[in-house]
Amino acid sequence: MRTLILAVLFLTARSAAAMEKPELVKLLAEIDDRQRNGGDYKALVYLEQKEKDKADVVREVLVYRRDADDKLMLLFSKPKSEEGKGILRLDKNLWTYDPGTGKWDRTTERERIGGTNTRRSDFDESRLAEEFEPSFGGEEKLGKFETVLLELKVKEGFDVAYPVQKLWVDKANHNILKRQEFALSGKLARTSYYPKWQKLFSQSKNAELWFPGEIRIFDEIEKSNSTLVLFKAVDLNALDQNMFTKAWLESKSR
Amino acid sequence: MLIQIAWRNLLASPINLIIGGLILAGTFLFVVVGGLLDSLNDAMARSVVGSVAGHIQLYSSKSKDELALYGGMGGDQDLSAVTEFPRIKQTLEQLDNVKEVVPMGSSGALITAGNIVDVTLERLRNLYKAREGQLDDPRLRDLSREELDARITATRRHVRQIIRVLEADQKKAQAILQAEAIDPEVVAAVERVSKDAFWHDFEKDTWGSLEFLENKIAPQVTDAQLMFLRYLGTDLDRFQESFDRMQIVDGTKVPKGQRGFLIAKLMYEDQMKLKNARRLDKLKDARANGRLIATDDELKRFVKENRAQTRDLVLQLDDLKTAEATKRLQGYLQSTEGDLTALLSAFFDTTDANLEDRHRFFYEQLAPLVELYRVRIGDTLTIKAFSKGGAIQAVNVRVYGTFAFTGLEKSPLAGGTSLMDLMSFRDLYGYLTADKKEELAQLQRDTGARAVNRENAEDALFGEGNTVVAEATPGIIDEDKTFTGAGRRLREDDLVKRVYTEAEINGGVVLNAAVMLKDASRLSETLATINATASAQQLEIKAVSWQQASGILGQVINFFRGVLILAVLFIFGIAMVIINNAMMMATIQRTQTIGTMRAIGAQRSLILTMVLTESGVLGMIFGGVGILLGSAAMAWLHAKGIPAPNDVAYFFFSGPRLLPELSTTNLVVALVIIFLVTLLSTLFPAVIATRISPLRAMQADE
């Protein structure tokens, strides 16, 4: 019996130690690849922000992605007061548009989306392997799920909302279940949970596309604040060729 | 007779002069410092009441924080919205001493205008959109096709000049930096747009060309400035009538009942003016006040910054204006230098000797070539601010002019808040009406998301019974059905021209309100009446005086008054101890005299009265001199005036000079204090004196 326990401990330790950097990078690349679509991507997303002593912020937003060209656009559809507002990523530029003023403004990765605690990266294609250096943080159990803990640090030259992250990745199917994001100072800013992962066959990719059906974000600075992100529908049909332009976004409210 | 005795004894002992000196100093201090504080209090009241607060401020009694017009300890206060303002206004304006109730609400926004390239490209984009009929801008609507073409050509030339400056920068960088520090993508982008071919083919794909410039070139310029803009939303017509120190400096007032924005003049100069011009103005002001560039570190810094920071100016000029500015500077400086940056740096090397002339030359010859202000009168300013719910709201407001409060032109406290119409303020505040709340609630009900608490999130989401992976059904999202057109851009012209009725202006939410009184001296009484009325009529508001509404600022005078009282108490406390001891010594020294007086029939009451009269005369003479000297000092200060030592003091002085007034109350209080101090400090020695018996006096003699 004692030998058996020692053997199990040895194997566990060996498997923990076995996650070397190349394997971790491969794991990140796999996470990215599963969520990347070869063609276009459109999603209808529900956002709900709860803050203490404030009315809930509720939004519906359309997310458009063309992963091959690293393009992203968010277009708010509900409530009426938000309709037509948008966010457009072109190269390294992040633009916001307000049809009420007709103005485009340059913004940053740290900008909150629609008054919620979400950032551009919560809706964009996953670029973990490109943007972060991983290291192995051990293995942990999250509820009934066995997970691998990855510690990530942003690579030089990349502008991201949170430069340090911890990821709890489901050992069974390599989905992210939990994410903690830290400021450069080391202060924990957000804890996010991904309790629903959905997969859809993509013709353009000729493989399955994975996306989180639900994200629950808990604010670690203002502890009483939380955000719910629900992906209500995903459409993989081809988008207009000229869609990711200022002119197209403006036209939606003209 | 007693006064004669007192006068003779007063002159007999030198210690009386010390006692008298203390009384004189205390009285002088009380009259002068007390008078100064009263004058400061009155001046500050004029500043606060006349610039933003009115005599009384109202705010929701449901508010979590107390109203602090000039900011509290923790930044902006959390004030609940006042939703029934028309009823409140109507009820309170019926009260005896209430003249007017002016609705208000204040907030702040960070204005990011983008860098000079962003601004110029936005102008170019709008010109193309106007030519294509895609933009209904009132400033461009009446231009003919030819006029639009001419503006497009001029703006394109300006962009090309900016690119030339960037190209020159890049060459300098390549000469001093290592190759890996230079992004080849940026080099390629600048190279592409600097070629004639790019501009020749520009209009083959206008929007694509513009986006290339916006996304690849504009980020290379990092001169974007953030401006913090504090604004007060109010009924602009009522505000200007009620706060009569407010004067329009540039432009005009906002037409009656219309939307619009008035920028505080000081803020306009400090934050929106071209930095080089502003520094030149400051240098000129400082010189007029006798400061020297040669010896003043701050002025030396202004010169240094002006010489080093010429980029804002250079990037504003197109090729023709660059050539013109270069020619004018070469002529002025007698120089053959061809580089505008070098010429400007030489020009801004101002000294005490050449400042006046260079200031004149700048405004006569260079200023007409550039935009002196980032926002011009008549421009539309986009203000983005966090709404009550935390989301960003934005409005376009037309800038009609700048304003200042008479006498407070240089005060950052009075000149730091701009004015906005109440309708635009409400748009930014983002108050949720019942309809909007229901729309959000319906969206939540339709989605039917379950609530998950932070504490048990992991169990709830990943515990037994949870499955993480699911097959999704492909969805068809038709955004054309999703959009109702509610977000259609409101035509700027419609909003600008629309005239709102008084009922519409008063009808929405406000955060606070100023109450102007007919008779300011009845403030406390009216305050009590308003609070009683609010309670009886369930108006759900709280009324506070201007002083309380000013937060920490309103307590400054009270603090100094407390310090004065402590100082006066300290001085008179010491005086009392010294007077008491001196009188005890004097009584012991005069044992024989007093004994003799008693022996020849003087009653104890006579002795008591004699000693008290002596100290009374001492107090009145020296106290009187103190009051006279204090009054003379106040008269001198009033005639001369105390100049405000810095811009902040303008607010406390309610203008460039404080003219202190002598307060009758202070004189009366000073007399009462002298009387009490002398009486209390002499009482014990006087009682001792009455107990001296004739026998003891004779024994002392033996």
Side-chain angles (χ1 to χ4, degrees), chain B residues 512-666:
Chain B
N512 54 312
V515 179
M516 312 305 289
L517 301 183
K518 292 171 188 160
D519 178 3
S521 66
R522 288 169 55 203
L523 191 147
S524 306
E525 175 207 325
T526 316
L527 190 62
T529 310
I530 291 175
N531 275 325
T533 309
S535 176
Q537 307 247 357
Q538 294 178 329
L539 298 178
E540 294 183 336
I541 50 160
K542 191 175 171 186
V544 292
S545 70
W546 65 266
Q547 205 157 22
Q548 205 180 332
S550 317
I552 304 163
L553 198 71
Q555 306 309 317
V556 170
I557 299 295
N558 285 342
F559 170 76
F560 285 116
R561 197 180 295 284
V563 172
L564 171 72
I565 290 168
L566 281 178
V568 168
L569 281 176
F570 182 71
I571 289 174
F572 281 114
I574 291 173
M576 278 174 70
V577 172
I578 295 175
I579 293 171
N580 183 63
N581 287 343
M583 292 306 286
M584 284 295 290
M585 282 169 63
T587 305
I588 292 162
Q589 281 170 2
R590 291 159 65 195
T591 303
Q592 196 178 10
T593 313
I594 293 168
T596 309
M597 285 175 75
R598 294 275 287 122
I600 59 173
Q603 298 296 311
R604 284 185 172 169
S605 60
L606 180 77
I607 303 297
L608 182 72
T609 314
M610 183 188 78
V611 176
L612 288 177
T613 306
E614 275 179 30
S615 47
V617 167
L618 181 81
M620 286 305 146
I621 288 175
F622 283 95
V625 173
I627 285 174
L628 283 176
L629 286 177
S631 304
M634 289 298 284
W636 181 76
L637 286 173
H638 179 78
K640 204 166 160 35
I642 304 169
N646 52 45
D647 292 349
V648 176
Y650 265 69
F651 192 78
F652 293 97
F653 286 16
S654 198
R657 298 184 99 76
L658 179 71
L659 301 174
E661 299 275 353
L662 186 63
S663 152
T664 325
T665 316
N666 281 339

Side-chain angles (χ1 to χ4, degrees), chain B residues 451-462:
Chain B
V452 173
N453 290 329
R454 166 193 290 270
E455 291 72 28
N456 62 358
E458 291 189 10
D459 278 345
L461 301 172
F462 304 114

Side-chain angles (χ1 to χ4, degrees), chain B residues 99-142:
Chain B
K99 189 172 148 194
E100 176 91 57
V101 182
V102 184
M104 291 179 169
S106 65
S107 189
L110 276 173
I111 308 287
T112 47
N115 63 43
I116 183 78
V117 191
D118 282 322
V119 172
T120 314
L121 290 174
E122 187 187 9
R123 200 179 302 149
L124 189 57
R125 178 178 275 273
N126 284 341
L127 285 166
Y128 275 117
K129 273 158 75 175
R131 198 173 74 173
E132 303 287 319
Q134 293 177 13
L135 180 74
D136 190 17
D137 187 324
R139 288 157 302 183
L140 304 175
R141 190 186 301 153
D142 298 331

Side-chain angles (χ1 to χ4, degrees), chain A residues 53-67:
Chain A
D53 299 329
K54 281 189 179 174
D56 291 351
V57 173
V58 183
R59 303 276 184 269
E60 234 175 49
V61 59
L62 288 154
V63 179
Y64 301 93
R65 271 172 32 194
R66 182 164 290 153
D67 296 350

Side-chain angles (χ1 to χ4, degrees), chain A residues 64 95 99 106 144 219 246, chain B residues 118 211 454 466 479 489:
Chain A
Y64 301 93
W95 296 94
R106 215 178 272 285
K144 66 176 185 180
D219 192 327
K246 288 182 173 182
Chain B
D118 282 322
E211 288 200 0
R454 166 193 290 270
N466 282 288
E479 56 271 78
R489 186 181 171 193

Side-chain angles (χ1 to χ4, degrees), chain A residues 42-44 46 48 53-60 62 64 75-80 82-85 90-91 93 95-96 98-99 101-103 105-106 111 115 142-145 173 175 177-178 193-200 210-211 216 218-220 223 225 228 230 232-235 237 243 245-246 250 252-254, chain B residues 64 112-113 115 118 122 125 129 134 183 185 207 211 214-216 218-219 382 384 386 388-396 432 436 439-440 443-444 446-447 449-454 457-459 461-480 482-490 492:
Chain A
K42 176 161 63 171
L44 178 63
Y46 169 84
E48 185 181 284
D53 299 329
K54 281 189 179 174
D56 291 351
V57 173
V58 183
R59 303 276 184 269
E60 234 175 49
L62 288 154
Y64 301 93
L75 180 59
F76 288 87
S77 56
K78 286 182 184 166
K80 285 176 191 162
E82 297 296 304
E83 194 179 309
K85 287 185 180 177
L90 293 170
D91 300 320
N93 302 272
W95 296 94
T96 61
D98 185 337
T101 62
K103 288 273 286 186
D105 281 309
R106 215 178 272 285
E111 175 116 349
L142 190 68
K144 66 176 185 180
F145 297 95
N173 52 32
N175 286 317
L177 297 185
K178 179 180 173 184
Y193 295 104
Y194 297 74
K196 293 271 174 281
W197 280 93
Q198 295 185 304
K199 54 184 175 174
L200 197 60
W210 290 72
F211 62 91
R216 302 237 175 208
F218 293 95
D219 192 327
E220 297 291 354
K223 294 277 186 186
N225 299 354
L228 169 66
L230 284 179
K232 289 173 121 177
V234 169
D235 182 346
N237 289 312
M243 193 163 219
T245 59
K246 288 182 173 182
E250 282 179 11
K252 297 313 287 179
S253 47
R254 193 174 295 133
Chain B
K64 276 191 207 158
T112 47
N115 63 43
D118 282 322
E122 187 187 9
R125 178 178 275 273
K129 273 158 75 175
Q134 293 177 13
D183 186 347
E185 203 185 326
W207 311 120
E211 288 200 0
E214 287 161 348
N215 293 308
K216 302 282 187 189
T382 300
K384 284 170 82 174
F386 284 102
K388 175 80 175 157
I392 290 178
Q393 295 288 344
V395 294
N396 278 348
L432 284 179
K436 285 181 181 173
E439 189 191 358
L440 297 182
L443 200 52
Q444 284 180 306
D446 289 349
T447 306
R450 64 170 173 153
V452 173
N453 290 329
R454 166 193 290 270
E458 291 189 10
D459 278 345
L461 301 172
F462 304 114
E464 291 301 330
N466 282 288
T467 48
V468 167
V469 178
E471 295 282 344
T473 318
I476 303 286
I477 302 167
D478 184 358
E479 56 271 78
D480 290 334
T482 309
F483 285 91
T484 62
R488 195 180 300 276
R489 186 181 171 193
L490 286 165
E492 188 182 287

